[in-house]
Amino acid sequence: MKKLAVILAVFAFLAPALSGCMDLNGLIGAGGEKSLESPNGRISVQVSLLDSPQPGTLAYEISFDGKQIICPSPLGIEIDGKPLDANFKIVGSKYDSKDETYELPVGKSEFARDHYNEMTVSVECGAIDMNVIFRAYDDAVAFRYHFPQQKGSSEFTITNESTSFCIPEDYTSYAVNLGSFMNNYEGFYNPTKISEIKKGDIIGVPLLVDAGSAWFAIAEANLRNYGGMYVTGTDSALSLKNIVTPSMNNPATITNASAPFSTPWRLVMIAESPGRFVESNIMMNLNEPCALDDTSWIKPGKVAWPWWKFMMAATTDIHKYYIDFAASHGIEYVIVDAGWYCTETDAWASPEQQDATDNKIPWMNVTEIIKYGKEKGVGVMLWVHEDTLKLKLDEALAAYASWGAKGVKVDGDGGNHVERVNLYWEIVEAAAKYNLAVDFHGAYTPTGMGRTYPNLLTQEGIRGEEYRGPRDKPPFSDLGTSDTPQHYTTIPFTRMLMGPMDFTPGAFGIENFNQGYPNIQGTRCGQMAMFVVYESELQMLIDAPFDYEGAAGFEFIEKVPTTWDETVAVNDNVADYVTIARRSGSTWYVGSICGETAREIAIPLQFLGPGKYEATIWEEGSNIQYDPTDIVSSTQAVDSSAVIKATMMPGGGQCIIIQPKS
């Protein structure tokens, strides 16, 4: 009997943690609650001082349509090695609101609406004054720690952060477990129960969560002068907390700061379906306005990319061949990838010993390639390793501009420690000075920098089709399996929520689709659809000109833009199938991709305006089971009441262009 009593007592103690949320009756301490609602009233935030787990614990909770999304979750940060996670006093609060619409030079829409209600909660903890700023949008809650001018010294070091995310039930999430702070986000977002996220896991953001009648995604925005954020498990089954990448130079710290100072935004996107996140401009809204007076020189577009096919065998003549191809088909850029200022092997093995202003490889004449591109109306971008570039940052970028280059592809070894984060800001600002576009590779995920510097056109931070490539040759033969159809249909609702992603789609040749690794899992039509489904203001064409010339479906890629006036998520079945519609001018482009199971889906055209339209459809042909490149096209009259069917193989797709009838 005594043994049973002990078991019941232990269960009673653990039950709140196991069920997610604690009953707060009797736990709310002095100071009361502060609350905030979104403009439409569907999202609410409460901030309280709790007596548990320690007296004066500052906590927040979030609800959507009256349903708890985030249970009461402690907030905390560590300054100079001293945790600020208890004994808080709320000493004031103030409220504000904003409703502003601004234009985006490039992106998923022509305009973005920044509409929120804001609450600033002022607290004291010992000698430290701190504000926690909350913003409630109609599709998200964002909050950050802000340190105003202090009574004493305003110089301090942030040594840790302990922001919690307590989940009410054991929902399914889509989690990429990266295993290390030194990563480049090139992993799969796997279905994972919240309880399966363990203490010590390094889960990349966003963490997408299916909460039944709602979806939410935990992320960050406006990462600057700080380490990047991940989430991990805790000793409580359904409680997550953030972890921040430590400084590379001083691993016991995150960053050195001087008040006034704000951390990046901690973000919880919330909606009834994940497609709303695809449409949202929340990342842009949480970053500073455009810092450039003139953005007319910024040109998004498609890019012919010799590396995927030729790698280190690319030469001056091969690049001219790609430039001829690009000029013939309206493709804006060609990239000269690694191997022009030293061999590709040396570029990676000893980047700090290289000179990225010295084109010393005899078979790769960069100035000749750029001049040839200029004659043909094709811009040339240059690859450079970030550790080499930073040695002569301004000098190198000035040289590239003087040669006539139009941009840089900056590659690296991964990580998002504060030193690398700040280097990214330095690079994109310096590149803007010389009218150079930027593509970050080997990167962490974007967090909205593109609003402030729209010359940042895309960013890797994703497991893309580079994982096919010529993987039978070292050093690329150890990268594991090819990308999967499940991956294709998960990343629009995970990685893409952070911003543009350089997935490098466009496999066309029949040799790419042979059975087994390292080949593409899917069809040519699925690869075509990625040019619409995946947001990237620079879209790579990974195959060779001879794979595209005269090939069925290439006419769609020729026509598809890379920047948009409007985006609509039509079908949003995560990891199963996806349909995204994007408008440029009066023309709509619609892409659908299928997951692991062949299926027929419906595509309602309710996003169309009034009037009559003509739809041109590219879809998989009758021989698709035997020939993954089989494509047929057709046209039909449609209006906003029409529904188009798409029958797709695993990894397959369908593409549509819809234009108003004249």
Side-chain angles (χ1 to χ4, degrees), residues 219-262:
E220 69 173 334
N222 198 1
L223 175 59
R224 192 170 192 172
N225 196 27
Y226 209 80
M229 168 182 153
Y230 303 88
V231 296
T232 191
T234 68
D235 292 330
S236 298
L238 303 183
S239 178
L240 308 177
K241 68 182 289 290
N242 78 337
I243 46 175
V244 176
T245 303
S247 162
M248 178 65 73
N249 294 336
N250 186 355
T253 71
I254 293 172
T255 190
N256 295 320
S258 178
F261 178 86
S262 296

Side-chain angles (χ1 to χ4, degrees), residues 178 180-185 202-205 220 223-230 243-248 254 386 413-422 424 442-447 459 498:
L178 297 163
S180 165
F181 291 122
M182 283 302 297
N183 69 78
N184 46 22
Y185 267 83
I202 298 179
I203 306 296
V205 295
E220 69 173 334
L223 175 59
R224 192 170 192 172
N225 196 27
Y226 209 80
M229 168 182 153
Y230 303 88
I243 46 175
V244 176
T245 303
S247 162
M248 178 65 73
I254 293 172
E386 65 190 56
D413 293 309
N416 53 4
H417 47 82
V418 63
E419 292 85 0
R420 193 181 198 213
V421 168
N422 288 347
Y424 271 28
Y444 56 89
T445 57
T447 64
Q459 194 158 324
M498 303 301 290

Side-chain angles (χ1 to χ4, degrees), residues 605-606 608-613 637-643:
L605 305 185
Q606 297 169 345
L608 294 177
K612 301 295 183 180
Y613 295 79
V638 296
D639 59 23
S640 60
S641 67
V643 177

Side-chain angles (χ1 to χ4, degrees), residues 156-340:
F156 57 95
T157 299
I158 298 178
T159 46
N160 200 2
E161 184 188 331
S162 53
T163 299
S164 299
F165 303 91
C166 298
I167 314 301
E169 296 182 36
D170 197 10
Y171 298 130
T172 296
S173 70
Y174 293 84
V176 55
N177 193 343
L178 297 163
S180 165
F181 291 122
M182 283 302 297
N183 69 78
N184 46 22
Y185 267 83
E186 295 180 5
F188 293 119
Y189 292 80
N190 293 313
T192 307
K193 289 288 189 180
I194 296 296
S195 61
E196 294 172 350
I197 298 175
K198 303 303 181 185
K199 191 174 183 179
D201 287 348
I202 298 179
I203 306 296
V205 295
L207 176 67
L208 179 70
V209 181
D210 180 359
S213 60
W215 290 73
F216 63 95
I218 297 170
E220 69 173 334
N222 198 1
L223 175 59
R224 192 170 192 172
N225 196 27
Y226 209 80
M229 168 182 153
Y230 303 88
V231 296
T232 191
T234 68
D235 292 330
S236 298
L238 303 183
S239 178
L240 308 177
K241 68 182 289 290
N242 78 337
I243 46 175
V244 176
T245 303
S247 162
M248 178 65 73
N249 294 336
N250 186 355
T253 71
I254 293 172
T255 190
N256 295 320
S258 178
F261 178 86
S262 296
T263 68
W265 291 100
R266 280 53 187 110
L267 176 62
V268 183
M269 307 179 201
I270 309 166
E272 67 279 357
S273 66
R276 304 292 76 77
F277 305 148
V278 175
E279 301 164 358
S280 174
N281 274 303
I282 188 65
M283 282 290 166
M284 299 290 102
N285 290 341
L286 291 170
N287 277 262
E288 286 76 26
C290 182
L292 308 181
D293 294 329
D294 176 23
T295 60
S296 61
W297 57 271
I298 299 172
K299 305 294 184 186
K302 296 184 285 289
V303 187
W305 185 34
W307 183 90
W308 200 76
K309 206 76 171 186
F310 290 95
M311 296 182 65
M312 290 176 269
T315 64
T316 301
D317 286 342
I318 285 175
H319 283 87
K320 288 182 177 180
Y321 167 54
Y322 271 76
I323 287 170
D324 288 338
F325 163 72
S328 298
H329 298 283
I331 294 166
E332 289 82 358
Y333 298 101
V334 167
I335 279 186
V336 178
D337 216 284
W340 66 267

